Coordinates of all heavy atoms in Angstrom, one line a residue:
M1 N -88.2 -159.5 85.8 CA -89.3 -158.6 85.5 C -89.5 -157.7 86.8 O -89.5 -158.2 88.0 CB -90.5 -159.5 85.3 CG -91.7 -158.6 85.0 SD -92.9 -159.7 84.0 CE -94.2 -159.8 85.2
N2 N -89.8 -156.5 86.6 CA -90.0 -155.5 87.7 C -91.3 -155.0 87.8 O -91.8 -154.3 87.1 CB -89.1 -154.3 87.5 CG -88.9 -153.4 88.6 OD1 -89.4 -153.8 89.7 ND2 -88.3 -152.3 88.5
A3 N -92.1 -155.7 88.6 CA -93.6 -155.3 88.8 C -93.7 -154.3 89.8 O -93.0 -154.3 90.8 CB -94.3 -156.6 89.4
T4 N -94.7 -153.4 89.7 CA -95.0 -152.4 90.6 C -96.1 -152.8 91.4 O -97.0 -153.5 91.0 CB -95.4 -151.0 89.9 OG1 -96.6 -151.3 89.1 CG2 -94.4 -150.5 89.0
V5 N -96.0 -152.5 92.8 CA -97.0 -152.9 93.7 C -97.9 -151.7 94.0 O -97.4 -150.7 94.6 CB -96.3 -153.5 94.9 CG1 -97.3 -153.9 96.0 CG2 -95.5 -154.6 94.5
P6 N -99.1 -151.8 93.9 CA -100.1 -150.5 94.3 C -100.0 -150.5 95.8 O -99.9 -151.4 96.5 CB -101.4 -150.9 93.8 CG -101.4 -152.3 93.6 CD -100.0 -152.8 93.3
H7 N -100.1 -149.3 96.3 CA -100.0 -149.0 97.7 C -101.0 -147.9 98.1 O -101.4 -147.1 97.3 CB -98.6 -148.7 98.2 CG -98.2 -147.3 97.7 ND1 -97.7 -147.1 96.6 CD2 -98.1 -146.2 98.4 CE1 -97.3 -145.8 96.3 NE2 -97.6 -145.2 97.5
I8 N -101.3 -147.9 99.4 CA -102.2 -146.9 100.0 C -101.4 -146.2 101.0 O -101.0 -147.0 101.9 CB -103.5 -147.5 100.5 CG1 -104.3 -148.0 99.3 CG2 -104.2 -146.4 101.3 CD1 -105.6 -148.8 99.7
S9 N -101.4 -144.9 101.1 CA -100.6 -144.2 102.1 C -101.7 -143.4 103.0 O -102.5 -142.7 102.3 CB -99.5 -143.4 101.7 OG -100.0 -142.5 100.8
I10 N -101.7 -143.5 104.3 CA -102.6 -142.7 105.0 C -101.7 -141.9 106.0 O -100.9 -142.4 106.8 CB -103.6 -143.7 105.9 CG1 -104.4 -144.6 105.0 CG2 -104.5 -142.9 106.9 CD1 -105.2 -145.7 105.7
L11 N -102.1 -140.6 105.9 CA -101.4 -139.7 106.7 C -102.2 -139.0 107.7 O -103.3 -138.5 107.4 CB -100.7 -138.6 105.7 CG -100.0 -137.3 106.4 CD1 -98.7 -137.9 107.0 CD2 -99.7 -136.3 105.4
T12 N -101.9 -138.9 109.0 CA -102.7 -138.3 110.0 C -101.9 -137.3 110.7 O -100.7 -137.6 111.2 CB -103.3 -139.3 110.9 OG1 -104.1 -138.6 111.9 CG2 -102.3 -140.2 111.7
L13 N -102.2 -136.1 110.8 CA -101.5 -134.9 111.4 C -102.3 -134.4 112.6 O -103.5 -133.9 112.3 CB -101.1 -133.9 110.5 CG -100.1 -134.4 109.3 CD1 -100.0 -133.2 108.2 CD2 -98.8 -134.7 109.9
N14 N -101.8 -134.0 113.7 CA -102.4 -133.2 114.7 C -101.8 -131.9 114.5 O -100.6 -131.5 114.8 CB -102.2 -133.8 116.1 CG -102.8 -132.9 117.1 OD1 -103.1 -131.7 116.9 ND2 -103.2 -133.6 118.3
V15 N -102.6 -130.9 113.8 CA -102.0 -129.7 113.3 C -102.2 -128.5 114.5 O -101.6 -127.5 114.4 CB -102.6 -129.2 112.0 CG1 -102.1 -130.1 110.9 CG2 -104.1 -129.1 112.1
N16 N -103.0 -128.8 115.4 CA -103.2 -127.9 116.6 C -103.4 -126.4 116.1 O -102.8 -125.5 116.5 CB -101.9 -127.8 117.5 CG -102.1 -127.2 118.6 OD1 -103.3 -127.1 119.2 ND2 -101.0 -126.7 119.4
G17 N -104.4 -126.4 115.2 CA -105.0 -125.1 114.7 C -104.4 -124.7 113.4 O -103.1 -124.8 113.1
L18 N -105.2 -124.3 112.5 CA -104.9 -123.8 111.1 C -105.4 -122.4 110.8 O -105.6 -122.1 109.7 CB -105.2 -124.7 110.0 CG -104.5 -126.1 109.9 CD1 -105.1 -127.0 108.8 CD2 -103.1 -126.0 109.7
N19 N -105.6 -121.6 111.8 CA -106.0 -120.3 111.7 C -104.9 -119.3 111.3 O -105.2 -118.2 110.8 CB -106.8 -119.8 112.8 CG -108.1 -120.6 113.1 OD1 -108.7 -121.0 112.2 ND2 -108.4 -120.9 114.3
V20 N -103.7 -119.7 111.5 CA -102.4 -118.9 111.2 C -102.0 -119.2 109.7 O -101.8 -120.4 109.4 CB -101.4 -119.1 112.2 CG1 -100.2 -118.3 111.8 CG2 -101.8 -118.8 113.5
P21 N -101.9 -118.2 108.9 CA -101.6 -118.5 107.4 C -100.4 -119.3 107.3 O -100.3 -120.2 106.4 CB -101.5 -117.1 106.9 CG -102.4 -116.3 107.6 CD -102.3 -116.8 109.1
L22 N -99.3 -119.0 108.1 CA -98.1 -119.7 108.1 C -98.2 -121.2 108.4 O -97.6 -122.1 107.7 CB -97.0 -119.2 108.9 CG -95.6 -119.8 108.8 CD1 -95.1 -119.7 107.5 CD2 -94.6 -119.1 109.9
R23 N -99.1 -121.5 109.3 CA -99.3 -123.0 109.7 C -100.0 -123.6 108.5 O -99.8 -124.8 108.1 CB -100.3 -123.1 110.8 CG -99.4 -123.0 112.1 CD -100.3 -123.3 113.3 NE -99.5 -123.2 114.5 CZ -100.0 -123.5 115.7 NH1 -101.2 -123.9 115.8 NH2 -99.2 -123.4 116.8
K24 N -101.0 -123.0 107.8 CA -101.7 -123.5 106.7 C -100.8 -123.8 105.6 O -100.8 -124.9 104.9 CB -102.8 -122.6 106.2 CG -104.0 -122.5 107.0 CD -104.9 -121.5 106.3 CE -106.0 -121.1 107.3 NZ -106.9 -120.1 106.6
Y25 N -99.8 -122.9 105.4 CA -98.8 -123.0 104.2 C -97.9 -124.2 104.6 O -97.7 -125.0 103.7 CB -98.0 -121.8 104.1 CG -96.9 -121.8 103.1 CD1 -97.0 -121.9 101.8 CD2 -95.5 -122.1 103.7 CE1 -96.0 -122.0 100.9 CE2 -94.6 -122.2 102.8 CZ -94.7 -122.2 101.4 OH -93.7 -122.3 100.6
R26 N -97.4 -124.3 105.7 CA -96.5 -125.4 106.1 C -97.2 -126.7 106.1 O -96.6 -127.7 105.6 CB -95.9 -125.2 107.5 CG -94.8 -124.0 107.5 CD -94.3 -123.9 108.9 NE -93.3 -122.9 108.9 CZ -92.7 -122.3 110.0 NH1 -93.1 -122.8 111.1 NH2 -91.8 -121.4 109.9
A27 N -98.4 -126.8 106.6 CA -99.1 -128.1 106.5 C -99.4 -128.6 105.1 O -99.2 -129.6 104.6 CB -100.4 -128.1 107.3
A28 N -99.8 -127.6 104.2 CA -100.1 -127.9 102.8 C -98.9 -128.3 102.0 O -98.9 -129.3 101.3 CB -100.7 -126.7 102.1
K29 N -97.7 -127.7 102.4 CA -96.5 -128.0 101.7 C -96.0 -129.5 102.2 O -95.6 -130.2 101.4 CB -95.4 -127.0 102.2 CG -94.1 -127.3 101.5 CD -93.1 -126.2 101.9 CE -91.7 -126.4 101.2 NZ -90.8 -125.5 101.7
W30 N -96.2 -129.7 103.4 CA -95.8 -131.0 104.0 C -96.6 -132.1 103.3 O -96.1 -133.2 102.9 CB -95.8 -131.0 105.4 CG -95.1 -132.1 106.2 CD1 -93.8 -132.0 106.4 CD2 -95.5 -133.4 106.5 NE1 -93.4 -133.1 107.1 CE2 -94.4 -134.0 107.1 CE3 -96.6 -134.0 106.4 CZ2 -94.3 -135.3 107.6 CZ3 -96.7 -135.4 106.9 CH2 -95.6 -136.0 107.5
I31 N -98.0 -131.9 103.2 CA -98.9 -132.9 102.6 C -98.6 -133.1 101.1 O -98.5 -134.2 100.6 CB -100.3 -132.3 102.9 CG1 -100.7 -132.5 104.3 CG2 -101.2 -133.4 102.0 CD1 -101.9 -131.7 104.7
R32 N -98.3 -131.9 100.4 CA -97.9 -132.1 99.0 C -96.7 -132.9 98.8 O -96.6 -133.7 97.8 CB -97.8 -130.7 98.4 CG -99.0 -130.0 97.9 CD -98.8 -128.9 97.0 NE -97.9 -127.9 97.6 CZ -98.3 -126.9 98.5 NH1 -99.5 -126.7 98.7 NH2 -97.4 -126.0 98.8
T33 N -95.7 -132.7 99.7 CA -94.4 -133.4 99.6 C -94.7 -134.9 99.8 O -94.0 -135.7 99.0 CB -93.4 -133.0 100.7 OG1 -93.2 -131.6 100.4 CG2 -92.1 -133.6 100.5
H34 N -95.5 -135.3 100.7 CA -95.7 -136.8 101.0 C -96.8 -137.4 100.2 O -96.8 -138.7 100.1 CB -96.0 -136.9 102.5 CG -94.9 -136.6 103.2 ND1 -94.4 -135.4 103.7 CD2 -93.9 -137.4 103.8 CE1 -93.3 -135.5 104.4 NE2 -92.9 -136.6 104.5
Q35 N -97.7 -136.6 99.5 CA -98.6 -137.1 98.6 C -99.5 -138.4 99.1 O -99.4 -139.4 98.4 CB -98.2 -137.4 97.2 CG -97.5 -136.2 96.5 CD -97.1 -136.3 95.1 OE1 -96.8 -137.6 94.8 NE2 -96.8 -135.3 94.5
P36 N -100.2 -138.3 100.2 CA -100.8 -139.5 100.8 C -102.1 -139.8 100.0 O -102.6 -138.8 99.3 CB -101.1 -139.1 102.1 CG -101.4 -137.6 102.0 CD -100.3 -137.1 101.1
T37 N -102.5 -141.0 100.0 CA -103.8 -141.3 99.4 C -105.0 -140.8 100.2 O -105.9 -140.2 99.7 CB -103.9 -142.9 99.5 OG1 -102.8 -143.4 98.8 CG2 -105.2 -143.4 98.7
T38 N -104.7 -140.9 101.6 CA -105.7 -140.3 102.5 C -105.0 -139.3 103.4 O -103.9 -139.8 104.0 CB -106.5 -141.3 103.2 OG1 -107.2 -142.0 102.2 CG2 -107.5 -140.8 104.2
C39 N -105.6 -138.3 103.9 CA -104.9 -137.4 104.7 C -106.0 -136.9 105.9 O -107.1 -136.5 105.5 CB -104.3 -136.1 104.1 SG -103.6 -135.1 105.3
C40 N -105.7 -137.2 107.2 CA -106.5 -136.9 108.2 C -106.0 -135.7 109.1 O -104.8 -135.9 109.6 CB -106.8 -138.0 109.1 SG -107.5 -139.4 108.2
L41 N -106.5 -134.7 109.2 CA -106.1 -133.5 109.9 C -106.9 -133.4 111.2 O -108.1 -133.3 111.1 CB -106.1 -132.2 109.2 CG -105.5 -132.1 107.8 CD1 -105.6 -130.8 107.2 CD2 -103.8 -132.4 108.1
Q42 N -106.2 -133.4 112.3 CA -106.9 -133.3 113.6 C -106.7 -131.9 114.2 O -105.7 -131.3 114.0 CB -106.3 -134.4 114.6 CG -106.5 -135.8 114.2 CD -105.7 -136.7 114.9 OE1 -105.8 -136.7 116.1 NE2 -104.9 -137.7 114.3
E43 N -107.6 -131.5 115.0 CA -107.6 -130.2 115.8 C -107.2 -129.0 114.9 O -106.3 -128.2 115.1 CB -106.5 -130.4 116.9 CG -107.0 -131.3 118.0 CD -106.1 -131.2 119.2 OE1 -105.6 -130.1 119.6 OE2 -106.0 -132.3 119.8
T44 N -108.0 -128.9 113.8 CA -107.7 -127.8 112.8 C -108.2 -126.5 113.4 O -107.7 -125.4 113.1 CB -108.4 -128.1 111.4 OG1 -109.8 -128.3 111.6 CG2 -107.7 -129.3 110.8
H45 N -109.3 -126.7 114.2 CA -110.1 -125.4 114.8 C -110.7 -124.6 113.6 O -110.7 -123.4 113.7 CB -109.2 -124.7 115.7 CG -108.6 -125.4 116.9 ND1 -109.4 -126.0 117.9 CD2 -107.4 -126.0 117.0 CE1 -108.7 -126.6 118.7 NE2 -107.4 -126.7 118.3
V46 N -110.9 -125.2 112.5 CA -111.6 -124.5 111.4 C -112.9 -125.1 111.2 O -113.1 -126.3 111.1 CB -110.8 -124.8 110.1 CG1 -111.4 -124.2 108.9 CG2 -109.3 -124.2 110.3
A47 N -113.9 -124.3 111.1 CA -115.3 -124.7 110.9 C -115.4 -125.1 109.4 O -114.8 -124.5 108.5 CB -116.3 -123.7 111.3
P48 N -116.4 -126.0 109.1 CA -116.6 -126.4 107.8 C -116.9 -125.2 106.8 O -116.5 -125.1 105.7 CB -117.9 -127.3 107.7 CG -117.8 -127.9 109.1 CD -117.2 -126.8 110.0
E49 N -117.6 -124.2 107.3 CA -118.0 -123.1 106.4 C -116.8 -122.1 106.3 O -116.8 -121.3 105.3 CB -119.2 -122.2 107.0 CG -118.9 -121.8 108.4 CD -119.3 -122.6 109.6 OE1 -119.7 -123.9 109.3 OE2 -119.3 -122.3 110.8
D50 N -115.7 -122.3 107.1 CA -114.5 -121.5 106.9 C -113.5 -122.2 106.0 O -112.5 -121.6 105.8 CB -114.0 -121.2 108.2 CG -114.9 -120.3 109.1 OD1 -115.7 -119.6 108.6 OD2 -114.9 -120.4 110.3
S51 N -113.7 -123.5 105.7 CA -112.7 -124.2 105.0 C -112.8 -123.8 103.6 O -113.9 -123.4 103.0 CB -112.7 -125.7 105.2 OG -113.9 -126.1 104.7
H52 N -111.7 -124.0 102.9 CA -111.7 -123.8 101.4 C -111.3 -125.1 100.7 O -110.5 -125.9 101.2 CB -110.8 -122.8 101.0 CG -111.1 -121.4 101.7 ND1 -112.2 -120.7 101.4 CD2 -110.5 -120.8 102.7 CE1 -112.1 -119.5 102.1 NE2 -111.2 -119.7 102.9
K53 N -111.9 -125.3 99.4 CA -111.5 -126.5 98.7 C -110.1 -126.4 98.4 O -109.5 -125.4 98.0 CB -112.4 -126.5 97.4 CG -112.1 -127.7 96.6 CD -112.9 -128.9 97.2 CE -112.8 -130.0 96.1 NZ -113.0 -131.3 96.7
V54 N -109.4 -127.5 98.5 CA -107.9 -127.5 98.1 C -107.9 -128.2 96.8 O -108.5 -129.3 96.5 CB -107.2 -128.4 99.2 CG1 -105.7 -128.6 98.8 CG2 -107.4 -127.9 100.6
K55 N -107.1 -127.6 96.0 CA -106.8 -128.1 94.6 C -106.4 -129.5 94.6 O -105.5 -129.8 95.4 CB -105.9 -127.2 93.8 CG -106.4 -125.8 93.5 CD -105.4 -125.0 92.8 CE -105.9 -123.6 92.6 NZ -105.0 -122.7 91.9
K56 N -106.9 -130.4 93.7 CA -106.5 -131.7 93.6 C -107.0 -132.6 94.6 O -106.8 -133.8 94.4 CB -104.9 -131.9 93.5 CG -104.4 -131.2 92.4 CD -102.8 -131.5 92.2 CE -102.2 -130.6 91.1 NZ -100.7 -131.0 91.0
W57 N -107.7 -132.2 95.5 CA -108.3 -133.1 96.6 C -109.7 -133.4 96.1 O -110.6 -132.5 95.6 CB -108.5 -132.4 97.8 CG -107.3 -132.3 98.7 CD1 -106.0 -132.4 98.2 CD2 -107.2 -131.9 100.1 NE1 -105.1 -132.2 99.2 CE2 -105.8 -131.9 100.3 CE3 -108.1 -131.6 101.1 CZ2 -105.3 -131.6 101.7 CZ3 -107.6 -131.4 102.3 CH2 -106.2 -131.3 102.6
K58 N -110.0 -134.7 95.9 CA -111.3 -135.2 95.4 C -112.4 -135.1 96.3 O -113.5 -134.8 95.9 CB -111.0 -136.6 94.9 CG -110.0 -136.7 93.7 CD -109.9 -138.2 93.3 CE -108.8 -138.4 92.3 NZ -108.6 -139.7 91.8
K59 N -112.2 -135.3 97.6 CA -113.2 -135.3 98.5 C -112.7 -134.7 99.9 O -111.6 -134.7 100.2 CB -113.8 -136.7 98.9 CG -114.5 -137.3 97.7 CD -115.1 -138.6 98.0 CE -115.7 -139.2 96.8 NZ -116.3 -140.5 97.2
E60 N -113.7 -134.1 100.6 CA -113.4 -133.4 101.8 C -114.5 -133.7 102.8 O -115.6 -133.5 102.5 CB -113.2 -131.9 101.6 CG -112.7 -131.2 102.8 CD -112.6 -129.7 102.4 OE1 -112.1 -129.4 101.3 OE2 -112.9 -128.9 103.3
F61 N -114.1 -134.3 104.0 CA -115.1 -134.6 105.0 C -114.7 -133.8 106.3 O -113.6 -133.6 106.6 CB -115.1 -136.0 105.3 CG -115.4 -136.8 104.1 CD1 -114.5 -137.4 103.4 CD2 -116.7 -137.1 103.8 CE1 -114.7 -138.2 102.3 CE2 -117.0 -137.8 102.7 CZ -116.1 -138.4 101.9
H62 N -115.7 -133.4 107.1 CA -115.6 -132.8 108.4 C -116.3 -133.4 109.4 O -117.5 -134.0 109.2 CB -116.1 -131.4 108.3 CG -115.4 -130.5 107.3 ND1 -114.2 -129.7 107.6 CD2 -115.7 -130.3 105.9 CE1 -113.9 -129.2 106.5 NE2 -114.8 -129.4 105.5
A63 N -115.7 -133.5 110.6 CA -116.4 -134.1 111.8 C -116.0 -133.1 113.0 O -114.9 -133.0 113.5 CB -115.7 -135.5 112.1
N64 N -117.1 -132.3 113.3 CA -116.9 -131.4 114.4 C -117.5 -131.9 115.6 O -118.8 -132.2 115.6 CB -117.5 -130.0 114.0 CG -116.7 -129.5 112.8 OD1 -115.5 -129.6 112.7 ND2 -117.4 -128.6 111.9
G65 N -116.7 -131.8 116.8 CA -117.4 -132.1 118.0 C -117.7 -130.7 118.8 O -118.0 -129.7 118.2
H66 N -117.8 -130.9 120.1 CA -118.0 -129.6 120.8 C -117.1 -128.7 120.6 O -115.7 -128.9 120.8 CB -118.3 -130.1 122.3 CG -119.4 -131.0 122.6 ND1 -120.7 -130.7 122.4 CD2 -119.4 -132.3 122.8 CE1 -121.4 -131.7 122.7 NE2 -120.7 -132.7 122.9
Q67 N -117.4 -127.4 120.6 CA -116.4 -126.3 120.5 C -115.9 -126.0 121.8 O -116.6 -126.2 122.8 CB -117.1 -125.2 119.7 CG -117.6 -125.4 118.4 CD -116.5 -125.6 117.3 OE1 -115.4 -125.0 117.5 NE2 -116.7 -126.5 116.5
K68 N -114.8 -125.2 121.9 CA -114.3 -124.9 123.2 C -115.1 -123.7 123.8 O -115.5 -123.0 123.0 CB -112.8 -124.5 123.0 CG -111.9 -125.7 122.7 CD -110.4 -125.1 122.7 CE -109.5 -126.2 122.5 NZ -108.2 -125.8 122.5

């Protein structure tokens, strides 16, 4: 009998800024390829009001510290 085991995958990336369209594209492509359960992006340098809802993402959270 071949049983499937449920799993959780957590992906964390230090993207070092997503203000450049090519970086956004590459990061999104990489995330889609790996299809994590949870994805944490560090150092996006994107304010919550500047972010856009990503298709198929159920929830989106932001934690902003002091700006440079």
Side-chain angles (χ1 to χ4, degrees):
M1 185 157 113
N2 192 5
T4 60
V5 179
H7 69 279
I8 295 174
S9 61
I10 300 171
L11 177 66
T12 178
L13 298 171
N14 185 331
V15 293
N16 197 21
L18 288 179
N19 294 322
V20 178
L22 182 58
R23 280 190 181 183
K24 285 181 192 176
Y25 171 79
R26 286 182 177 168
K29 182 178 176 184
W30 202 86
I31 293 166
R32 277 193 306 271
T33 300
H34 290 83
Q35 298 180 346
T37 305
T38 300
C39 180
C40 304
L41 301 178
Q42 301 172 47
E43 295 192 29
T44 61
H45 302 285
V46 176
E49 59 271 8
D50 295 333
S51 67
H52 302 287
K53 184 78 174 161
V54 178
K55 293 177 183 176
K56 297 184 182 180
W57 285 14
K58 294 181 182 179
K59 294 185 181 179
E60 186 177 323
F61 300 97
H62 298 271
N64 294 330
H66 297 287
Q67 298 294 322
K68 289 183 180 181

